[in-house]
Amino acid sequence: MIAGERSFRSVTSSEEFQTLCEFIYRRTGMSFSEGRRYYVERRIDERIRATGANSFRAYFTLLRANTDGELEQLINSLTVNETYFYREEHQFRCLSSDLLPDIVSRKPAGQPVRIWSAPCSTGEEPYSIAIWLLENWPDVDAYDIEIVASDIDTQALSRARSGCYGARSLARLSSEIIERYFEPAGPAEYRINEELRSSIYFSSINLMDPAATRTQGRFDVIFCRNMLIYFDDASRRVAAENFYDCLEPGGYICLGHTEAMSRISPLFQVRRFHDAIVYQKPEEKSDA
């Protein structure tokens, strides 16, 4: 054993693990089963060492009091931020070929087109949306497009704002696109150019908090991909209701390829396009 290394296990019983998971669930909607206990315990061990607590009980006291923002630090360590540019590209094709033409056909002149990436992780998704529209939507210059990106993980948001990415994130982009929208930032690293970085609005949001999501306003399209798989059924329904409230009538939500809104909530209509299946908030019926 390395000198100074603690020999205790952070979580010593199933009861303690359950208490911790219930605490995390109430605050984030994330659900961790006994099968993910090792994953959670490793991160609790890291946070115990970082805070100087000498037991799970001592750490949990710090966590409940949110001493020095510990809840935020724990959430940051538990979230998964594996992503890359142009991930699930078929949905971007659907966005430019089907969703946006339908949306702008119903918009009064001068109204912005608003797109929300939630959760945005380290920024590859919202930047991908911006690049895709610049490259593939002929009407991109005719509309005021607002892209909002949010995540509960503040460390991921910081990386997103910086806009720096390595080869793995850029693997699906052509050299022409990299040259057009990125600048060298070090060995095998590139940074989104300043104009594109400044066009995205980043914010820290807990998607389970309806008051917080309402502060973002109404959107025409929401991308929420591969987040709901970490929730249980009750949390998924809450998230779906929050997204419903944040969509304009006739607006669309895009989920990950393993997720289906029809199994979560009856609020949305299933729309099948050539490139993707998406979900639409019903349009408001006319009184006429």
Side-chain angles (χ1 to χ4, degrees):
M1 181 181 293
I2 300 172
E5 183 180 345
R6 292 186 176 88
S7 60
F8 64 88
R9 290 185 63 196
S10 62
V11 182
T12 59
S13 68
S14 294
E15 289 76 17
E16 287 180 340
F17 179 76
Q18 185 64 32
T19 297
L20 175 68
C21 290
E22 288 175 358
F23 178 85
I24 296 169
Y25 175 78
R26 289 195 301 270
R27 283 154 180 80
T28 69
M30 291 189 294
S31 180
F32 295 101
S33 66
E34 185 71 27
R36 301 201 71 194
R37 179 167 175 166
Y38 177 71
Y39 171 86
V40 174
E41 284 193 347
R42 283 189 61 188
R43 281 139 187 86
I44 295 299
D45 283 341
E46 292 169 0
R47 295 311 308 158
I48 285 178
R49 287 192 290 271
T51 58
N54 59 10
S55 66
F56 170 78
R57 180 174 297 181
Y59 174 74
F60 194 57
T61 298
L62 293 176
L63 184 63
R64 287 186 299 178
N66 201 22
T67 303
D68 297 327
E70 182 54 31
L71 177 58
E72 178 182 298
Q73 296 297 322
L74 177 60
I75 290 171
N76 289 352
S77 71
L78 288 171
T79 50
V80 178
N81 295 303
E82 183 70 25
T83 186
Y84 48 86
F85 281 86
Y86 279 17
R87 185 178 188 179
E88 298 189 43
E89 182 181 317
H90 63 282
Q91 289 187 341
F92 298 145
R93 291 196 299 269
C94 184
L95 175 68
S96 56
S97 64
D98 297 297
L99 307 189
L100 290 181
D102 176 54
I103 286 165
V104 299
S105 72
R106 296 183 270 109
K107 271 189 175 293
Q111 280 199 356
V113 174
R114 305 192 73 229
I115 301 173
W116 190 14
S117 170
C120 69
S121 186
T122 47
E124 286 91 336
E125 180 174 274
Y127 290 131
S128 290
I129 294 169
I131 293 171
W132 180 270
L133 295 183
L134 288 168
E135 292 289 312
N136 297 283
W137 192 35
D139 294 330
V140 66
D141 292 325
Y143 295 93
D144 178 15
I145 301 171
E146 298 179 6
I147 301 177
V148 176
S150 62
D151 204 287
I152 198 173
D153 186 335
T154 55
Q155 292 177 355
L157 279 174
S158 179
R159 290 178 58 193
R161 290 188 181 99
S162 74
C164 289
Y165 301 98
R168 184 171 180 176
S169 289
L170 303 174
R172 292 181 62 87
L173 299 183
S174 68
S175 57
E176 291 79 12
I177 287 180
I178 293 174
E179 183 176 350
R180 198 149 42 237
Y181 298 103
F182 293 78
E183 303 165 346
E189 188 172 58
Y190 292 85
R191 189 180 192 189
I192 294 277
N193 65 46
E194 184 176 356
E195 182 178 4
L196 198 55
R197 289 201 314 275
S198 64
S199 71
I200 311 292
Y201 175 73
F202 291 97
S203 63
S204 177
I205 293 291
N206 183 346
L207 297 176
M208 294 300 294
D209 182 350
T213 55
R214 280 195 296 267
T215 64
Q216 304 301 295
R218 290 281 191 95
F219 293 91
D220 298 294
V221 182
I222 296 175
F223 283 84
C224 177
R225 306 192 293 183
N226 307 307
M227 181 194 77
L228 299 180
I229 56 176
Y230 298 103
F231 289 3
D232 66 359
D233 290 343
S235 295
R236 290 187 189 108
R237 285 192 294 270
V238 171
E241 291 168 3
N242 289 346
F243 284 134
Y244 183 90
D245 290 342
C246 288
L247 273 175
E248 294 282 4
Y252 297 92
I253 182 167
C254 302
L255 302 182
H257 71 278
T258 62
E259 301 165 316
M261 186 63 77
S262 55
R263 295 199 295 264
I264 300 171
S265 169
L267 293 172
F268 297 85
Q269 297 174 339
V270 179
R271 297 296 308 276
R272 292 176 170 84
F273 295 100
H274 180 267
D275 289 302
I277 297 173
V278 300
Y279 305 91
Q280 186 176 32
K281 178 175 179 176
E283 296 183 52
E284 293 178 341
K285 293 183 180 179
S286 172
D287 294 332

